[in-house]
Amino acid sequence: MKIVITGGAGFIGCNFVRHMLERHPESEIVVLDKLTYAGRMENLEDVLDRITFIQGDICSKDDVNRIGDCDLLFNFAAETHVDRSINDAGVFVRTDVIGTHTLLEHARTHEVGRFVQISTDEVYGSVASGYSKEGDRMQPSSPYSASKAGAEMLVAAYATTYGLDTVITRSSNNFGPYQFPEKLIPVMILRALQDRTLPIYGNGMNVRDWIYVTDNCEGVAVAGEQGRSGEAYNIGGGNERTNLEIVRTILSILKKPGSLIEYVADRPGHDMRYALDCSKMRELGWRPRHRFMDAIELTCAWYAQNRTWYAPLLATVS
């Protein structure tokens, strides 16, 4: 097979590249990445000799045309940080919506076997109780989640209008190696390693479901290869934790004092809780392999042992 992975130099993307190299060692793996601040060649250093790398923008038709035909196209390329979307929504609309449209047009006019759109549980909006199912109404709260919901609507429209073979995955909060230090877990780990204060929005009671990145990668591969055409699939870890619990766990693992916790003003439109019903994925035979505590310990150890990877990024940790 020829497998194209856009955004493959980013956090989830680079882990997915490694997963697919193991899963399909005889396949051709092509990575298209713009190499923005969060997409780094360092994330792929150990596998560059086993892939074809194209530096390009998914919003550029000329760049996208360089990927040619393929059996599977996984679109991980996106702007993903909620805080950044609040400050500059236009960048998110361009990449997440217009970029997805450019890729869909490529898939429509080329031989692309299946188009797999990587989305997020945030498209459902805040869930006070129960669990979001794939057929639930999308109610995005932030410019980021709205841009991902918009991209999903385009994917669904291309499936209906043009008969494009598509699958959408909606995963919960990922964590693990190579995550750029702007999301909660890597920021808190790196600040704790430096004995800096750990800022928590509001009262820290916002709840997220956490999934170790390699479990999500396996889920995306399973949904992309075995899922029903035109369907969406929730991929969650079943690990609901408040932000405060996450931070206290990190401090405990790194043997740092709780006095480092600092409560700060909440961000606008901060959803209270996300939670996913993943029964459709279980029907495909997928389940997460990692216990939360094992995974968070692995993650803390990875950052502690990989200073050369994160040292150039320390100025961005805020």
Side-chain angles (χ1 to χ4, degrees):
M1 289 194 298
K2 178 179 177 182
I3 301 167
V4 172
I5 303 168
T6 68
F11 161 48
I12 304 177
C14 76
N15 281 284
F16 188 72
V17 168
R18 291 181 178 83
H19 178 76
M20 295 305 274
L21 285 169
E22 293 180 6
R23 190 179 184 90
H24 300 289
E26 302 303 319
S27 293
E28 178 186 2
I29 306 291
V30 177
V31 172
L32 174 69
D33 199 290
K34 188 178 178 180
L35 296 180
T36 59
Y37 73 95
R40 307 174 67 210
M41 290 301 291
E42 291 91 336
N43 294 351
L44 295 171
E45 276 183 342
D46 59 320
V47 296
L48 281 175
D49 61 340
R50 301 172 61 195
I51 65 173
T52 298
F53 182 84
I54 301 171
Q55 184 172 354
D57 185 349
I58 62 168
C59 296
S60 165
K61 181 179 178 180
D62 289 340
D63 288 349
V64 170
N65 280 343
R66 294 167 65 192
I67 67 179
D69 301 336
C70 61
D71 298 284
L72 289 166
L73 192 161
F74 292 88
N75 181 28
F76 286 88
E79 296 287 344
T80 64
H81 189 37
V82 174
D83 287 1
R84 289 179 185 267
S85 79
I86 293 170
N87 295 327
D88 188 0
V91 174
F92 285 70
V93 172
R94 180 181 183 275
T95 300
D96 299 357
V97 180
I98 296 174
T100 300
H101 172 257
T102 305
L103 290 170
L104 286 166
E105 275 294 291
H106 179 84
R108 183 178 69 84
T109 56
H110 290 72
E111 294 293 329
V112 173
R114 170 166 279 187
F115 187 102
V116 184
Q117 175 70 9
I118 313 306
S119 194
T120 170
D121 61 356
E122 296 194 34
V123 299
Y124 294 114
S126 193
V127 182
S129 61
Y131 299 88
S132 297
K133 296 183 178 181
E134 289 84 352
D136 290 351
R137 177 186 174 192
M138 290 191 287
Q139 301 185 77
S141 301
S142 68
Y144 160 60
S145 55
S147 69
K148 295 299 285 186
E152 282 201 33
M153 296 299 285
L154 276 172
V155 172
Y158 269 66
T160 300
T161 303
Y162 303 110
L164 199 66
D165 185 354
T166 67
V167 164
I168 295 169
T169 65
R170 298 171 182 152
S171 64
S172 58
N173 280 34
N174 278 234
F175 67 100
Y178 300 100
Q179 188 168 27
F180 189 85
E182 63 183 359
K183 302 294 179 70
L184 178 70
I185 287 179
V187 166
M188 296 304 167
I189 290 173
L190 295 188
R191 290 184 70 98
L193 288 172
Q194 300 172 80
D195 294 311
R196 296 171 63 188
T197 58
L198 278 60
I200 298 180
Y201 284 133
N203 61 8
M205 291 296 105
N206 301 76
V207 175
R208 300 292 181 265
D209 173 29
W210 295 89
I211 185 169
Y212 193 52
V213 65
T214 59
D215 288 335
N216 181 46
C217 289
E218 183 177 12
V220 170
V222 169
E225 294 169 11
Q226 303 174 30
R228 294 186 296 274
S229 184
E231 296 283 325
Y233 290 87
N234 291 337
I235 304 176
N239 300 303
E240 288 189 57
R241 300 287 192 283
T242 67
N243 290 345
L244 184 58
E245 285 178 288
I246 294 293
V247 172
R248 285 175 172 166
T249 298
I250 290 169
L251 289 173
S252 175
I253 291 170
L254 297 178
K255 296 180 171 52
K256 301 292 183 176
S259 58
L260 290 176
I261 292 174
E262 177 186 27
Y263 295 95
V264 299
D266 208 351
R267 73 181 180 209
H270 195 177
D271 288 334
M272 193 65 199
R273 175 178 178 263
Y274 303 137
L276 295 175
D277 180 323
C278 300
S279 55
K280 282 180 67 174
M281 281 301 300
R282 288 195 294 273
E283 290 173 7
L284 296 180
W286 173 88
R287 283 174 174 76
R289 298 178 184 272
H290 292 81
R291 293 176 57 253
F292 176 78
M293 281 305 301
D294 294 337
I296 194 70
E297 288 174 0
L298 285 171
T299 303
C300 287
W302 187 87
Y303 280 94
Q305 296 163 10
N306 284 275
R307 182 178 175 81
T308 55
W309 180 88
Y310 71 74
L313 308 177
L314 284 177
T316 71
V317 180
S318 59

